[in-house]
Amino acid sequence: MSSSIPIKNQFKYVMIPANQSLPIQEKISDKSGGLSDDYLAKEAKQYFYNQSDGAKRAAALDNATPEERKALATKIREDYAKGNSQINQLSDDALIDLIKTTHSSASCEIIALTIPTKSNNYNAVSLYSADDARIRQLPHNARATKLMEACGHALPVVDDGTPKGLCGDVFVGRCIDDEIGDVWERVDITVEDVEDPMNADWCINARTKGGGGGSGGSSTPSSLSGMMQNALGSGGGGGGMSCGRSLLIGMEQDDGRTPLLG
């Protein structure tokens, strides 16, 4: 793809496989779409969607019998109606359509490793991963986890007996995001930038006060607004931004067909 992109429109990003026997991949793509049509965000979402069985689950919903649809709607209400009056107000078909939408939409989780600050020349580095990585029990990604820690972030607490940190393959990209100057542009991040993160200059800076990363390992990734408040209020870094799907329901069928939910 890179051969057809004018040099001035190219940017580099990386993909870090969970399988440590595989090398970190450096990729080149087109940055001309800007923020509104960002290639990396689109590629990450499509990559994780293709890895999942969302399309099969959506098809299974389409092919479900009236009895199966009724049972599914009842199951959703039993599991989620408590404290959620909106679910009780929806018809069975509306509930099924809602679940189908979650399976049909390409999405991902985004963690802001750094937010743009004056100290880092308004460089924002984001990590893209599958938003259902732990639900699907994807393998632990030690290299991506190390990168998150190198940017000053503590690891979220888990209670399922699995290692803390990130799971599954991840993408990492960088952009210049200067709101005051009205600039948003993809810039390069390379294999060299992420393969030894504890000693990478940008990660070292991220761990310092005002560097845009976490608070020396004392904070876990949270909301981007929270990061901005930390950076503006205390001059330090903050956490991350998680924008995964909000409705993840497990319901297996026992006849070998594609589960309607998962």
Side-chain angles (χ1 to χ4, degrees):
M1 178 179 181
S2 61
S3 61
S4 61
I5 305 171
I7 296 295
K8 67 177 182 178
N9 289 338
Q10 292 183 6
F11 76 97
K12 297 177 182 178
Y13 61 101
V14 298
M15 196 271 272
I16 306 177
N19 186 341
Q20 293 195 76
S21 68
L22 299 176
I24 298 174
Q25 300 175 29
E26 190 171 293
K27 298 172 175 285
I28 298 176
S29 194
D30 191 341
K31 65 180 179 182
S32 60
L35 176 60
S36 63
D37 191 26
D38 179 37
Y39 180 87
L40 175 52
K42 291 192 299 183
E43 186 194 17
K45 289 176 182 179
Q46 192 60 49
Y47 178 85
F48 297 125
Y49 182 70
N50 291 342
Q51 278 192 329
S52 74
D53 54 3
K56 291 182 180 179
R57 293 182 189 276
L61 287 171
D62 282 336
N63 297 324
T65 66
E67 292 77 14
E68 288 173 333
R69 293 172 68 89
K70 180 67 176 178
L72 182 57
T74 300
K75 174 67 173 174
I76 295 170
R77 289 193 177 91
E78 288 175 351
D79 290 347
Y80 292 90
K82 185 177 181 181
N84 192 331
S85 59
Q86 289 182 325
I87 286 183
N88 282 324
Q89 293 172 8
L90 295 175
S91 66
D92 289 356
D93 286 341
L95 280 176
I96 299 300
D97 287 343
L98 176 64
I99 299 305
K100 182 181 174 182
T101 297
T102 67
H103 292 322
S104 301
S105 301
S107 63
C108 66
E109 182 174 14
I110 305 173
I111 293 175
L113 296 178
T114 68
I115 60 168
T117 67
K118 187 175 181 179
S119 173
N120 63 22
N121 295 315
Y122 302 101
N123 274 235
V125 178
S126 298
L127 182 149
Y128 302 76
S129 64
D131 54 10
D132 58 352
R134 285 195 174 274
I135 290 176
R136 289 197 283 127
Q137 299 182 325
L138 297 181
H140 183 248
N141 192 322
R143 291 178 294 191
T145 299
K146 185 177 180 181
L147 177 61
M148 188 167 73
E149 291 182 296
C151 290
H153 301 294
L155 302 181
V157 176
V158 295
D159 55 8
D160 57 5
T162 60
K164 292 181 180 180
L166 298 160
C167 296
D169 301 337
V170 307
F171 294 87
V172 182
R174 174 185 280 144
C175 69
I176 295 174
D177 187 1
D178 180 358
E179 259 190 283
I180 296 176
D182 194 25
V183 175
W184 193 97
E185 181 183 4
R186 280 291 180 193
V187 292
D188 293 345
I189 192 165
T190 66
V191 170
E192 185 179 356
D193 289 324
V194 301
E195 61 184 357
D196 183 17
M198 292 305 296
N199 295 309
D201 289 342
W202 71 275
C203 291
I204 293 173
N205 184 69
R207 298 193 298 271
T208 64
K209 185 175 181 179
S215 304
S218 64
S219 62
T220 56
S222 53
S223 67
L224 185 58
S225 61
M227 290 184 72
M228 294 302 295
Q229 288 172 3
N230 283 339
L232 295 174
S234 65
M241 175 176 65
S242 173
C243 27
R245 287 170 289 188
S246 59
L247 188 59
L248 292 169
I249 308 169
M251 181 178 178
E252 298 295 329
Q253 291 181 185
D254 58 7
D255 59 1
R257 289 181 294 157
T258 301
L260 297 179
L261 295 172

